[in-house]
Amino acid sequence: MHSSGRLAGRTSSPIWTLLLCLWCWATLARGMPDDMIASLRQETIDIFYHGYDGYMKYAFPEDELRPLSCTPLTRDRHNPAHIEVNDVLGNYSLTLIDSLSTLAILASSPPPAKRGRNRPLDDFQDGIKALVENYGDGSKGPAGQGKRARGFDLDSKVQVFETVIRGVGGLLSAHQFAVGDLPIRGYDAKVQEKEGKEGIFWRNGLVYDGQLLRLATDLAERLMPAFHTATGLPYPRVNLRYGVLFYANSPYNNDAEHGQCSKDRKDQGTEITETCSAGAGSLVLEFTTLSRLTGDSRFEIAAKDAFWAVWSRRSSIGLIGAGIDAETGQWVSPYTGIGAGIDSFFEYALKSHILLSGLPYDAEHAHLDSPDAFLKVWQDAHGAIKRQIYRGPQHQHPHYFQVDIYTGAMRAFWIDSLGAFYQGLLTMAGELDEAIETHLLYTALWARYSAIPERWSTATGNIESGLRWWPGRPEFIESNWYLYRATKDTWYLHVAEMIQRDIKRRCWTKCGWAGLHDVRSGELSDRMESFFLGETAKYLFLTFDSSHPLNTWDAPYVFTTEGHPLIIPKRLRPSQSVKHSELAPEPQPELGVCALPPEPLPFSVSATAARPDIFHAASLARLHLMPTRETLESPLVEFSTDHPSISVSDIQSPSNYTYYPWTLPPELIPYNATSSKMTVRATFDLSFPNLPNNLQTGTLQRVHEGILVNSMSGVRLGMVREPEPLPIEQEITMDEQFRIYAISNVALGRDEKVYMSRSTIDNFNPTDPFFTRTRDGVAVDLVIDVPPEPTVTPSSSALSDLLEGALDGMGNISNMEIIELEVDEEQLAEGGTYLSSLLHSLQALLAAPSSAATPSPSGPGAGTSQTTQRLALQGTLPLGPGSAPLPDVPDPDLAYSKSNTLSWSTIYIHPNTLCDERLPLEIPKTHQIIVIPRGGCSFSAKLRNIPAYPPSSSSLQLVITVSFPEHEEPHYDFDDERKGESGTVAKTSHSVGNAKGRKESGIDGSTNSSPRRKTSSKIKRHDELVLVQPLLDETQYTSSGIPRPHPIPLIMVGGGEETIASLRRATGIGVRRKYYFLSQGVRINNLIVL
């Protein structure tokens, strides 16, 4: 027994050792310990109360606190142009209103207190009571008068956007917490009736019966005059007492003699009308909630109209700008990005979808009112941002920069602190990978500056344009909270810890929290913005309180852009989900899917810390260039024993930038972690010599979709090598290509093209390895001469017969009753719209078929005149064993002239798809062109039904297959299962001046520029015609099954009935080969040879 026991002990020893190792690893793998998280949560509460108590002691009932001087910050009435202060501060206790929702959130997790007191809940109720005492209860009677004002009857000119998100949003959110629409753990919002009063009875003596909702309504009513514009975009500012009398074209500005402003916008007294996309389009959440709670739809309608007024003015590539004129609807600046002036528009597109989900809406205007309409806006906007603004790993690390709103060309390299919100929005939308990778750069920037400067340049690695401050903004912290909730990665807890420690050691003052006027030196500004308590402290607290009701509540609530939670309560929602299938907006947006968080590596804790590209962001932020421990120059040098960081005593910045966040324990970094190789952009410049006797003026000309090069003399092409993008979600590697991103220092957008005529490049060696001209084996232009429509001249007897038939039974015309018609004066002024329509109708009536009508000459060669059009339709060449080369004919000019005729003039158009019959022999013998509609059978089968014929110049030269719109949808068949009409996708870029041959744009190449097009169909994918190459999957055979001795060339064009109609009238047809250029064997994809 003894020996066996010793044997057993020896056997179990390795097992116990393994279990001990696993236990030790599990202890580390827990990430941040619970007691540490609880300590950080309490620190966040302390941070909030240090600021809140300072405000209530030194600044209330004014708007904000000066934390350095311990005095209130009020409106600058001596300098009305000081909009940084006056736009926000309306003289209505702004910080208290902004703080109420934070107090309500803290009340669900109160710190330990004596006698079970819930201090945040008491302060929440006391704050509401203080507001009611100062501004009344929002009613019309005596109780509506407060110590300071009746409601918000204040002579304060404020910004509409800031007043909505801070004032209206703060009041609504606090109201919903007070009545129980939003949860407070342990709070019972029970309505009672006592002593003739009905409401929720609080310990402080206030009976809450909706005072904040009435005050929010009063404040919103005072903002409504700003929405009286021709565009639907609200004026940027409004006086809470007098409205919008200071705008030249405001309908309220009608008494300039008695203090109102001049009607001349250039006068000094008139207010500027520039607003921003975020300011005009980010009102839907607050105003919709207000309308649903009050039953007054005016607010929701006004906010939605403003939202769609912004979106309807997006550019052709799907981008919106920052500044926009509220009166004209014109963009003020061509720059755009995701940050200041634009940010919350995207946020409200997605969050409006969430807030409105399941609610009834106007089915006749589903494209404006439905939640899916807002989701579609977010999806389209994100797609445009990802294509035009996003810079991928080849730019050191993914981030977003500033581009041209119309072309997508690069305009600036800076990012701003407001743009840090976008990662939280991406997380909500399920775009988790993009959110994680782009959030890393902001984390590295915080590690470098212990804050995020207002604007920072990725090109220089320095602060941009002196914008060096951080006023306590919450956007980065907000996104960090969203990412932690989605991933539960300890990394984001350490990011929040880093932020919290930096705020405590850099921004503390004896009265509150100051913003950083300079993130480099630590210089403080004497202002505590209301959003520091309303958002910054709130998101930090929620990060460290995983069990908070708002972190676990399954409900369609949203945080506004000011951090105020809102919801349409259940009592206002239908019992069953509302369905509007018949009138739903088309196309329906695809519903997103919440992405799974990345799996951590084995024996590691943080998937983010183990990312192979984590130090790419550090490299872009230039952390490796910052001082280390050994080179630190600081007045106080004390280091933490367990973190590679400087102590809390130093008010400058952390001294070691090796790891970020700098609170991350080194043991959470994999011991053998290495950074992946940084992607390098393969760029290439191609310069052309200055040609003799060549003028440089007018070398480059901007045209639709790009740049037209009139001369190659001295031109420099900047090119980047990258994979060809596909408009589909497929894991597939495409061939690399060159894309011209700049031409002679003119930046190009991602989808812009460079056009060159053949004459421009004729003098260059076509076999130059750096600029090799190559014939396109996929695409070709079908050139046709189309005479004008035949005119019909009716005889007088025919006209009499038509009029008599039309007036049959009416008697004498003189006895007819005169009817007055209502005519739209604006349309009439546009240029004969009504008259032209009437004349066209009469012309069609008089051109009706009649035996007395005399048609104009027709047939080949007839009817050609100076109005004959020469059109170029884009087509594709076939592939497969049955394909045949095109006839050896010269390329025609695109300019029509009688002396420059096309190669073929005898055309036969078959009435069906030629699948079940054979052509008579006479047709291919006597016609040079045969036109066949696409569909019904394979291309090879169509050719098999054409009999063999003796070749000659007058016999069949080319078969044209016409594709219809239902065939022209982009199709990518990677399974290679389809036969017959399947093939490879050919993307044929549009040429300048050429017809597109598609139903959407017309056979003559003119695009639909109607200003009344639906906003839901404005964005298109790249403006390219997508056709498959016809697949001739077998050798060509005759109808008798004999291999065809002379294979028939074939091309396919689009356009359907319109193309067939033009071919039916055509007097001549030719083909024009296309060319593209290679550089070092790689295609230059966006260089188009005309």
Side-chain angles (χ1 to χ4, degrees):
M1 291 291 293
H2 182 68
S3 61
S4 63
R6 286 191 297 176
L7 180 62
R10 295 191 187 113
T11 305
S12 61
S13 180
I15 298 177
W16 283 108
T17 303
L18 176 61
L19 291 175
L20 180 62
C21 292
L22 289 175
W23 180 83
C24 294
W25 171 81
T27 302
L28 291 175
R30 291 175 56 206
M32 187 176 287
D34 291 342
D35 58 344
M36 185 174 181
I37 295 175
S39 174
L40 291 169
R41 181 169 63 247
Q42 182 58 45
E43 284 186 23
T44 308
I45 297 173
D46 295 340
I47 287 175
F48 171 82
Y49 266 112
H50 179 65
Y52 181 76
D53 291 342
Y55 165 74
M56 295 301 291
K57 180 178 180 180
Y58 298 105
F60 181 79
E62 301 299 340
D63 285 315
E64 287 182 347
L65 168 70
R66 294 181 182 271
L68 297 179
S69 56
C70 298
T71 58
L73 177 64
T74 61
R75 294 179 57 80
D76 189 351
R77 298 195 180 274
H78 298 290
N79 182 15
H82 190 188
I83 58 176
E84 292 82 4
V85 170
N86 293 334
D87 272 359
V88 178
L89 308 186
N91 199 26
Y92 53 79
S93 308
L94 177 63
T95 297
L96 176 59
I97 293 176
D98 235 357
S99 301
L100 287 175
S101 63
T102 307
L103 284 167
I105 288 173
L106 296 180
S108 287
S109 302
K114 294 181 180 179
R115 297 180 226 173
R117 182 195 174 203
N118 187 336
R119 184 192 171 186
L121 180 60
D122 290 346
D123 290 340
F124 171 71
Q125 295 173 350
D126 290 343
I128 293 176
K129 183 178 180 180
L131 280 177
V132 173
E133 290 174 348
N134 281 276
Y135 303 99
D137 66 356
S139 65
K140 302 296 183 182
Q145 178 65 51
K147 295 178 182 178
R148 305 195 82 201
R150 173 176 286 275
F152 297 96
D153 183 21
L154 302 162
D155 185 11
S156 300
K157 184 172 71 173
V158 294
Q159 190 186 86
V160 173
F161 169 64
E162 293 289 355
T163 307
V164 169
I165 65 171
R166 302 197 197 199
V168 177
L171 292 168
L172 287 175
S173 184
H175 165 75
Q176 293 201 292
F177 275 114
V179 299
D181 291 344
L182 292 168
I184 299 178
R185 187 184 290 127
Y187 168 66
D188 184 12
K190 183 179 180 180
V191 177
Q192 296 177 308
E193 187 174 352
K194 297 178 182 179
E195 301 177 357
K197 296 181 180 180
E198 184 178 5
I200 305 171
F201 287 78
W202 289 345
R203 292 171 54 183
N204 60 7
L206 179 69
V207 180
Y208 187 79
D209 60 358
Q211 291 93 330
L212 295 188
L213 179 59
R214 293 193 293 272
L215 286 173
T217 305
D218 176 79
L219 183 56
E221 286 276 10
R222 298 177 184 278
L223 303 177
M224 289 303 288
F227 291 85
H228 289 277
T229 63
T231 61
L233 300 166
Y235 284 117
R237 295 171 183 86
V238 63
N239 187 289
L240 295 178
R241 176 175 292 169
Y242 300 112
V244 288
L245 309 180
F246 34 77
Y247 293 105
N249 295 325
S250 168
Y252 297 93
N253 177 31
N254 50 25
D255 192 7
E257 296 181 359
H258 297 87
Q260 296 186 17
C261 69
S262 168
K263 288 288 185 180
D264 187 357
R265 294 180 62 182
K266 297 181 180 180
D267 282 0
Q268 187 175 0
T270 60
E271 185 80 13
I272 61 172
T273 56
E274 177 186 350
T275 184
C276 62
S277 296
S282 304
L283 313 172
V284 179
L285 298 181
E286 293 86 353
F287 272 19
T288 295
T289 303
L290 179 61
S291 286
R292 301 298 172 119
L293 293 178
T294 61
D296 188 344
S297 62
R298 291 178 301 128
F299 307 108
E300 180 176 350
I301 292 173
K304 286 181 176 179
D305 286 348
F307 178 91
W308 293 112
V310 173
W311 184 241
S312 65
R313 288 170 171 81
R314 65 196 183 278
S315 68
S316 60
I317 59 176
L319 297 178
I320 60 173
I324 188 171
D325 192 292
E327 290 185 342
T328 66
Q330 300 296 317
W331 297 113
V332 176
S333 170
Y335 284 31
T336 189
I338 62 166
I342 313 170
D343 47 3
S344 55
F345 178 88
F346 309 124
E347 180 184 0
Y348 275 45
L350 179 60
K351 290 183 177 179
S352 294
H353 164 72
I354 297 172
L355 184 74
L356 296 170
S357 59
L359 293 175
Y361 57 86
D362 184 357
E364 293 185 0
H365 299 90
H367 63 288
L368 302 176
D369 287 333
S370 71
D372 283 347
F374 289 91
L375 177 60
K376 183 67 165 56
V377 171
W378 156 249
Q379 291 175 343
D380 289 346
H382 174 247
I385 291 170
K386 191 67 180 289
R387 178 158 187 84
Q388 307 293 346
I389 302 177
Y390 172 85
R391 306 183 94 194
Q394 65 272 24
H395 297 271
Q396 286 188 269
H397 188 78
H399 60 279
Y400 308 91
F401 67 143
Q402 313 302 309
V403 302
D404 188 280
I405 182 178
Y406 302 106
T407 67
M410 185 274 299
R411 288 291 177 260
F413 291 101
W414 52 261
I415 63 175
D416 61 1
S417 62
L418 286 168
F421 89 100
Y422 196 63
Q423 289 70 43
L425 188 61
L426 290 171
T427 305
M428 288 186 67
E431 304 290 342
L432 196 54
D433 289 340
E434 184 181 349
I436 291 173
E437 65 180 8
T438 52
H439 185 264
L440 283 175
L441 177 58
Y442 285 101
T443 307
L445 281 177
W446 187 286
R448 175 176 175 180
Y449 292 107
S450 294
I452 294 180
E454 189 75 358
R455 190 179 290 181
W456 180 83
S457 172
T458 60
T460 65
N462 297 318
I463 292 172
E464 177 82 6
S465 303
L467 304 181
R468 59 192 182 276
W469 54 82
W470 180 73
R473 292 202 187 279
E475 285 76 15
F476 172 57
I477 305 166
E478 174 188 3
S479 290
N480 191 73
W481 169 64
Y482 277 111
L483 279 165
Y484 177 65
R485 298 305 308 162
T487 64
K488 301 299 176 63
D489 192 330
T490 307
W491 169 273
Y492 299 104
L493 290 178
H494 284 283
V495 172
E497 180 194 8
M498 173 179 71
I499 295 167
Q500 189 157 294
R501 291 190 177 186
D502 283 333
I503 289 174
K504 289 183 67 175
R505 67 189 179 82
R506 303 194 80 194
C507 302
W508 183 90
T509 71
K510 64 179 182 179
C511 299
W513 301 98
L516 292 171
H517 186 68
D518 190 332
V519 298
R520 299 165 301 184
S521 66
E523 178 187 356
L524 297 177
S525 62
D526 195 12
R527 181 179 184 181
M528 185 177 74
E529 293 264 12
S530 69
F531 55 66
F532 182 83
L533 301 181
E535 295 184 83
T536 305
K538 179 183 298 171
Y539 288 124
L540 278 173
F541 173 80
L542 287 173
T543 303
F544 296 123
D545 190 0
S546 295
S547 64
H548 193 279
L550 291 183
N551 280 331
T552 59
W553 194 27
D554 185 12
Y557 81 96
V558 294
F559 281 90
T560 69
T561 193
E562 190 66 14
H564 297 302
L566 294 175
I567 191 173
I568 307 300
K570 287 185 177 180
R571 66 178 183 275
L572 299 179
R573 292 180 172 272
S575 56
Q576 295 181 351
S577 180
V578 180
K579 296 182 179 180
H580 298 272
S581 57
E582 295 182 359
L583 296 174
E586 295 291 345
Q588 292 276 356
E590 294 183 5
L591 296 179
V593 178
C594 291
L596 290 174
E599 290 290 337
L601 295 177
F603 296 97
S604 69
V605 175
S606 170
T608 305
R611 284 177 64 97
D613 64 342
I614 183 172
F615 291 110
H616 297 179
S619 174
L620 181 57
R622 278 65 166 187
L623 298 192
H624 58 288
L625 301 180
M626 301 304 292
T628 62
R629 285 181 170 190
E630 291 73 19
T631 61
L632 176 67
E633 296 179 3
S634 176
L636 299 173
V637 185
E638 297 177 5
F639 295 99
S640 173
T641 58
D642 57 348
H643 296 117
S645 63
I646 201 167
S647 73
V648 295
S649 302
D650 191 354
I651 63 169
Q652 299 298 318
S653 292
S655 61
N656 188 298
Y657 297 82
T658 305
Y659 298 122
Y660 65 102
W662 56 263
T663 61
L664 188 70
E667 60 266 20
L668 295 189
I669 301 289
Y671 76 95
N672 60 347
T674 57
S675 183
S676 63
K677 184 178 180 180
M678 192 173 296
T679 306
V680 179
R681 294 180 76 207
T683 58
F684 173 65
D685 281 5
L686 185 62
S687 299
F688 294 85
N690 289 316
L691 302 179
N693 302 322
N694 194 297
L695 296 178
Q696 294 294 317
T697 57
T699 299
L700 304 180
Q701 177 184 351
R702 180 163 288 284
V703 295
H704 179 60
E705 294 185 337
I707 300 290
L708 174 64
V709 180
N710 296 314
S711 171
M712 299 298 293
S713 179
V715 168
R716 180 179 61 83
L717 303 179
M719 298 186 289
V720 59
R721 187 168 179 171
E722 58 189 15
E724 182 180 1
L726 271 180
I728 54 173
E729 309 237 346
Q730 291 271 354
E731 293 292 334
I732 185 169
T733 303
M734 299 299 294
D735 292 336
E736 289 197 338
Q737 61 182 8
F738 276 119
R739 176 176 61 86
I740 301 175
Y741 66 88
I743 176 169
S744 297
N745 297 323
V746 176
L748 297 180
R750 176 170 294 277
D751 296 327
E752 284 197 288
K753 301 175 179 64
V754 176
Y755 299 100
M756 297 180 182
S757 65
R758 300 190 189 191
S759 59
T760 302
I761 56 178
D762 279 345
N763 295 329
F764 290 93
N765 180 5
T767 61
D768 188 326
F770 294 100
F771 202 60
T772 310
R773 186 171 67 178
T774 307
R775 178 177 289 185
D776 196 332
V778 174
V780 69
D781 281 340
L782 181 70
V783 183
I784 61 175
D785 284 342
V786 182
E789 290 276 3
T791 58
V792 179
T793 307
S795 63
S796 58
S797 61
L799 180 60
S800 300
D801 292 341
L802 288 171
L803 289 174
E804 183 177 353
L807 300 175
D808 186 27
M810 289 187 177
N812 196 316
I813 296 179
S814 61
N815 297 327
M816 292 179 62
E817 181 181 357
I818 299 177
I819 302 175
E820 294 185 2
L821 297 178
E822 294 184 2
V823 178
D824 190 331
E825 296 181 1
E826 293 184 1
Q827 290 195 8
L828 190 61
E830 287 179 0
T833 305
Y834 281 89
L835 293 177
S836 60
S837 299
L838 177 61
L839 291 175
H840 287 160
S841 300
L842 288 175
Q843 183 181 9
L845 176 66
L846 297 178
S850 171
S851 58
T854 304
S856 63
S858 61
T864 56
S865 64
Q866 293 182 353
T867 58
T868 294
Q869 289 184 306
R870 177 161 291 182
L871 307 179
L873 276 63
Q874 297 175 22
T876 55
L877 298 172
L879 48 75
S883 58
L886 292 173
D888 187 15
V889 293
D891 289 349
D893 293 333
L894 292 179
Y896 170 79
S897 67
K898 291 184 178 180
S899 60
N900 179 23
T901 59
L902 298 178
S903 301
W904 309 300
S905 59
T906 54
I907 307 164
Y908 170 77
I909 299 177
H910 196 68
N912 54 49
T913 58
L914 194 60
C915 291
D916 303 322
E917 59 184 302
R918 298 179 181 178
L919 281 180
L921 177 60
E922 284 301 313
I923 291 178
K925 285 181 61 176
T926 59
H927 293 84
Q928 297 165 313
I929 301 293
I930 292 179
V931 180
I932 307 172
R934 181 182 176 185
C937 59
S938 68
F939 295 99
S940 296
K942 296 176 188 294
L943 295 181
R944 190 183 297 117
N945 287 325
I946 299 176
Y949 58 92
S952 68
S953 60
S954 60
S955 63
L956 180 61
Q957 304 292 315
L958 180 67
V959 170
I960 302 172
T961 303
V962 179
S963 180
F964 285 74
E966 57 267 26
H967 303 130
E968 295 172 8
E969 294 299 323
H971 173 72
Y972 301 88
D973 189 1
F974 297 105
D975 298 331
D976 199 23
E977 294 177 354
R978 292 187 62 194
K979 301 297 180 182
E981 290 200 6
S982 65
T984 61
V985 173
K987 294 195 300 181
T988 55
S989 303
H990 294 156
S991 300
V992 174
N994 289 356
K996 298 178 182 179
R998 296 191 71 178
K999 186 173 182 179
E1000 291 88 335
S1001 54
I1003 196 64
D1004 60 351
S1006 61
T1007 58
N1008 180 10
S1009 58
S1010 170
R1012 301 181 182 274
R1013 58 178 178 259
K1014 293 182 179 180
T1015 58
S1016 60
S1017 61
K1018 183 176 180 181
I1019 289 186
K1020 301 288 184 185
R1021 199 181 59 78
H1022 320 296
D1023 202 7
E1024 294 173 337
L1025 174 63
V1026 180
L1027 283 175
V1028 298
Q1029 288 182 261
L1031 175 59
L1032 299 177
D1033 53 352
E1034 61 181 14
T1035 304
Q1036 290 191 28
Y1037 292 93
T1038 65
S1039 55
S1040 58
I1042 302 173
R1044 191 182 295 276
H1046 302 288
I1048 305 172
L1050 179 142
I1051 67 170
M1052 184 167 67
V1053 296
E1057 290 293 346
E1058 289 180 289
T1059 298
I1060 289 180
S1062 295
L1063 290 170
R1064 198 182 306 277
R1065 292 166 42 214
T1067 58
I1069 290 181
V1071 291
R1072 182 180 173 91
R1073 280 79 173 176
K1074 283 179 170 287
Y1075 295 88
Y1076 59 86
F1077 276 85
L1078 303 176
S1079 184
Q1080 306 168 76
V1082 179
R1083 181 167 180 168
I1084 306 175
N1085 192 57
N1086 62 334
L1087 177 59
I1088 309 300
V1089 180
L1090 304 179

